[in-house]
């Protein structure tokens, strides 16, 4: 996704428009439930993997770094998901504003 905040247009104006999220609370709640269950699953998997490493007496420090990396990827994916979800909720309002604009 491309985002450029340094563009400048002479004579352009900017305003914040509040967007109602009516009817989207259920979608948001379901998304939260999904990510909570995903977190629990990943934590269980990483604990099982750590237990396996301890039983096999492999290099523990490398395994901990991998677990940390997996959690970093998880949090990154979660943040991107919710960011995109909120952007998608604004699309209908943006389209109606654009179509009603006087050119």
């Amino acid at each position: 996704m491309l985002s450029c905040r340094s563009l400048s247009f002479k004579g352009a104006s900017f305003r914040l428009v509040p967007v109602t999220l009516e009817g989207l609370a259920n979608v948001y709640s379901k998304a939260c439930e999904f990510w909570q269950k995903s977190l629990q699953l990943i934590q269980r998997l990483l604990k099982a993997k750590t237990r396996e490493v301890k039983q096999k007496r492999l290099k523990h420090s490398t395994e901990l770094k991998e677990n940390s990396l997996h959690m970093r990827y998880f949090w990154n994916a979660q943040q991107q998901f919710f960011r995109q979800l909120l952007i998608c909720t604004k699309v209908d309002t943006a389209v109606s504003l654009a179509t009603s604009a006087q050119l």
Side-chain angles (χ1 to χ4, degrees):
M1 184 170 127
L2 177 64
S3 176
C4 183
R5 296 180 183 181
S6 62
L7 293 176
S8 175
F9 297 97
K10 288 184 179 180
S13 64
F14 174 81
R15 66 183 164 137
L16 294 176
V17 178
V19 177
T20 60
L21 301 177
E22 293 175 17
L24 297 172
N26 187 35
V27 172
Y28 187 81
S29 296
K30 294 293 183 184
C32 289
E33 287 177 24
F34 167 78
W35 283 101
Q36 287 172 352
K37 289 178 183 178
S38 298
L39 175 62
Q40 292 170 355
L41 177 63
I42 287 176
Q43 287 174 334
R44 278 190 283 159
L45 289 171
L46 293 178
K47 283 181 184 177
K49 192 175 180 184
T50 302
R51 258 186 267 120
E52 183 182 342
V53 166
K54 285 181 180 179
Q55 288 174 352
K56 292 182 178 181
R57 298 175 192 235
L58 299 173
K59 291 185 179 178
H60 190 60
S61 63
T62 306
E63 190 63 33
L64 289 176
K65 288 179 185 177
E66 286 182 15
N67 286 355
S68 175
L69 188 62
H70 291 307
M71 288 306 297
R72 208 177 324 165
Y73 289 147
F74 172 81
W75 292 121
N76 180 34
Q78 183 194 42
Q79 288 177 345
Q80 287 181 2
F81 173 82
F82 280 105
R83 180 174 181 260
Q84 291 297 321
L85 181 65
L86 291 175
I87 288 172
C88 290
T89 61
K90 300 174 185 180
V91 169
D92 291 337
T93 304
V95 168
S96 67
L97 286 171
T99 55
S100 68
Q102 295 178 2
L103 299 176

